[in-house]
Every structure is written in C-alpha cells, then in structure tokens.
Amino acid sequence: MGVMHTISSLLITFVLLLVLYALLRGILLQSPANYSTQSTIGNNYSSTHQASTQQSTLPPSTTQKATTTIARVTTQQYSGGNATVEYALGLINRDRNNYALHNVTLSSEPSAQQHANSMLANSYFSHWDTHGMKPYMRYTLLGGRGSVTENIAFVYNSSGINITSTLKEMEYNFMYNDYKCCQNGHRDNILNPWHNQVSIGIAYNETAIYFVEDFIDSYIAWLGGTPSVSDNLNVTLLGSLPNGYSLSSIQINYDVPVSNLTQADFNMSPYNGPYSYGTTVAGIGYTSGNEYFYFGNITTINATAYDINGTTFNVAFGLKKLEAQDGPGEYTIMMLLDNGTAQACAAGACSPFVGATYTIFVDPAGMPYIPSQV
C-alpha cells in the first residue's frame, strides 16, 4: 500500500504540473493571437457615363469575423487621448510614406471614436452599429461631407492591454497579415492614394481594445449650406473642387430602412462581415450642349440644374420618383470625382473615385428625417 500511495502522489503531482503549464501557456498565447479585424473598401458602386451601360465596379472586399466573444463591459472604459491618437496617426503615415504616399491629416469628424466607443460599451464587433447604421450613414449624421471607408479591429487579453504596443501590432496586421483573412482590404484602404484625412477611434478597458480607422476623401468645398434636401425630397448640391478635379457622375444608392440590432444579429450575416454602399438604383442625367448624358442600366433621374463653371458645380434634382419606386429607406448620394492622371492610376487607384457621400433618411410617409440616435 505504501508503494501504491507514493506512485499515486507522484501521478497527482505530475497532473497538477501539466494543468499549471497549460494555464500559463494559454495566458501567454492569448494576447495578439485573439486579433480580429474587418474592413471594407468601396464595395458595389458603379460608374456609367455618356449614353453607355458600361460599369466600373470596385471588387468586393472580404473580412474575417470576430472569433472572440467579449463579455459585456462592466469595468472602466477609456477613449484614446490626443497622444494615443497621434501615435496611431504616426503609424498610419509611416506605412503610407513607406510606399511614397502623402500623409493623411487627422480629421475633426468624430465618426471613428463614436463607433469605437459604441462597440466597447455594447460588447460587439461590426461595421454596423446597434441602430443598424453603416459607416457612411453615421458619417453623414455626424457632419461628414466627404467619403469614408472603414477599418476596424479589436484585441482581447485577459491579462491586460498595453495600448501602444497593441496598436502597433494591429496596424502591422492591417498591413502585413491581411491577405489570408481579408484579401488585403485593410492594406489597400491604408494605401489608397485618394485618402487625405483619417478619423481615428480608440476605446479600451482593462482587457479589450477597439481600433477604428475611418479614411476620408475630402475634396469638395461645399457652399450655400449644401448638400441639402427639402421636405419634398428636392436635393441641392453646390460646391467647388481643387484644380485638376472634375465631377464625373452622380449616382444614388439605396439601403432598406435601418433597424436596431441585437447581440445575436451581430453574429449573423451580413452584420458579421463586410458592408457595401447599398444597391446602385439611379444616376443623375443631364444635358450639356447637344449631348444628353444618361444611365442605360439603372434609373435615370433628370437633373433640374446641372451647371459646371470651371471647378464649381451647381446640381439639383428630385428623389420623389425614386422614393415611389423603392419606398422608405436610406438614399445615399455618391459623388464620383475624376482626376484621371496616369500617376494616380500607377499608384493603385484610378479615377473616378467616390469623393463624397450624403445619406438621406426617408420615412414611410416619403419625408426626409434625421434619426434621433447615432
């Protein structure tokens, strides 16, 4: 019996050591291994030009859904301060400079920080928010008047978060570990030569961090309080462009009415994957001299004004015809700009490109409205 007791004690000790080793190994491997990202790069819009049905559509992006479930946050939450945001901006511009691209400047638009805060506070991971809104919808409601494409990522580590080193690793993974999960969607977004601004969001607690990069193309100087929409859905667009840029076309994309999302929704398609700009349903037609420009494969809405004077444009049109066709929902005006230089194409993004978006929310009565929450 004494021998048996000794052998049993040794076995128990050996098993306990194995359990302790497994626990320690799990903690050590948990940090960067639980890295999850999503991004979208200008999905699903098309460009149709003079008397043509030819389309130019950017390829759809791919995404890797979140693989770690984060429990509802009950501890202190933090937002990235100025120094942390500037550090993240430096990482982004370092990557752009390495590929001979100009710096992006920090945008004053709060879209990225708002979304990072929302994801941390409500314990989800998605381009959609709890109100069912996509990035470009939130961007419009928060005052953005350019165009936006979004990268998001989070890391969970039960042993704690080192903010600067984790941000550095997140940015590195966006750039160099992105192909398998996302066909280099994050990388392409970071290295898009048209981007000239970025809104950065960083939200974290003791064990989780969310990082949002809202890259912005801001080229239009809007005039006269536009873009604007009247109660009967008449739209006015008045603005000016930098020298060398021109208005290529205007298209309208449609999304079904937004609705609140639950935790269960965020685990299902499409909310656990990439987003698109919705469905392209119409384009703005106009007359210039003896030529009539129209869209042959989607509805053409004839402009009531379409005046181009140098780099200044004045465009007006109505959406009632489209609202009668598609009903309530979100109608996003897509402003496609052209620079058409060989240098721009060589850098990886030929024009035309989406230079501005503006989302109009339409209720079941056919009236524009502003959602009470974002």
Side-chain angles (χ1 to χ4, degrees), residues 24 160 306 316:
L24 288 172
Y306 205 104

Side-chain angles (χ1 to χ4, degrees), residues 2-200:
V3 173
M4 291 295 292
H5 179 74
T6 301
I7 293 173
S8 298
S9 299
L10 289 172
L11 285 173
I12 291 170
T13 303
F14 180 71
V15 170
L16 288 174
L17 287 172
L18 284 176
V19 171
L20 181 60
Y21 170 77
L23 288 172
L24 288 172
R25 187 174 185 271
I27 291 172
L28 290 172
L29 292 180
Q30 197 170 17
S31 175
N34 282 338
Y35 172 83
S36 299
T37 62
Q38 292 189 352
S39 87
T40 183
I41 312 297
N43 293 355
N44 257 355
Y45 68 85
S46 60
S47 171
T48 307
H49 300 285
Q50 177 183 352
S52 171
T53 59
Q54 182 179 359
Q55 290 182 293
S56 173
T57 306
L58 293 182
S61 68
T62 59
T63 184
Q64 177 183 338
K65 70 177 183 178
T67 56
T68 302
T69 300
I70 297 180
R72 182 165 294 279
V73 175
T74 57
T75 54
Q76 181 65 43
Q77 302 168 29
Y78 307 92
S79 296
N82 290 340
T84 307
V85 169
E86 288 292 339
Y87 175 75
L89 177 64
L91 295 175
I92 292 167
N93 281 328
R94 177 203 62 190
D95 289 333
R96 289 177 62 87
N97 295 163
N98 285 343
Y99 288 84
L101 294 172
H102 61 267
N103 284 353
V104 290
T105 60
L106 189 62
S107 171
S108 60
E109 302 297 342
S111 60
Q113 189 61 58
Q114 184 269 348
H115 192 46
N117 291 346
S118 173
M119 288 192 289
L120 178 64
N122 295 287
S123 305
Y124 70 97
F125 183 66
S126 176
H127 287 296
W128 284 259
D129 64 17
T130 56
H131 307 297
M133 295 186 194
K134 300 179 188 178
Y136 54 91
M137 300 175 186
R138 296 190 296 269
Y139 180 68
T140 292
L141 290 174
L142 292 169
R145 294 298 179 265
S147 66
V148 63
T149 50
E150 182 174 86
N151 286 351
I152 64 176
F154 82 79
V155 166
Y156 172 76
N157 183 2
S158 61
S159 62
I161 295 289
N162 182 296
I163 302 304
T164 55
S165 64
T166 306
L167 287 172
K168 185 176 182 180
E169 181 167 10
M170 288 167 138
E171 179 68 14
Y172 181 89
N173 281 302
F174 277 154
M175 284 291 298
Y176 302 109
N177 289 329
D178 198 44
Y179 181 80
K180 185 176 181 180
C181 86
C182 309
Q183 305 300 305
N184 284 335
H186 303 93
R187 177 189 176 93
D188 291 345
N189 200 15
I190 293 168
L191 299 181
N192 189 317
W194 298 121
H195 296 336
N196 52 18
Q197 295 182 11
V198 63
S199 174
I200 294 174

Side-chain angles (χ1 to χ4, degrees), residues 167-286:
L167 287 172
K168 185 176 182 180
E169 181 167 10
M170 288 167 138
E171 179 68 14
Y172 181 89
N173 281 302
F174 277 154
M175 284 291 298
Y176 302 109
N177 289 329
D178 198 44
Y179 181 80
K180 185 176 181 180
C181 86
C182 309
Q183 305 300 305
N184 284 335
H186 303 93
R187 177 189 176 93
D188 291 345
N189 200 15
I190 293 168
L191 299 181
N192 189 317
W194 298 121
H195 296 336
N196 52 18
Q197 295 182 11
V198 63
S199 174
I200 294 174
I202 301 165
Y204 59 95
N205 62 11
E206 287 81 359
T207 57
I209 180 170
Y210 286 85
F211 183 28
V212 180
E213 299 173 338
D214 277 355
F215 287 97
I216 295 169
D217 300 346
S218 180
Y219 290 89
I220 298 175
W222 291 102
L223 305 171
T226 70
S228 62
V229 58
S230 67
D231 286 345
N232 58 356
L233 296 181
N234 287 328
V235 176
T236 302
L237 307 170
L238 175 63
S240 64
L241 293 165
N243 289 331
Y245 290 81
S246 62
L247 179 59
S248 174
S249 66
I250 302 173
Q251 298 175 13
I252 312 298
N253 283 24
Y254 173 78
D255 287 280
V256 298
V258 296
S259 60
N260 290 341
L261 300 177
T262 66
Q263 284 283 349
D265 292 327
F266 289 122
N267 292 323
M268 298 185 297
S269 179
Y271 310 112
N272 62 352
Y275 70 93
S276 75
Y277 281 118
T279 303
T280 304
V281 293
I284 306 304
Y286 63 97

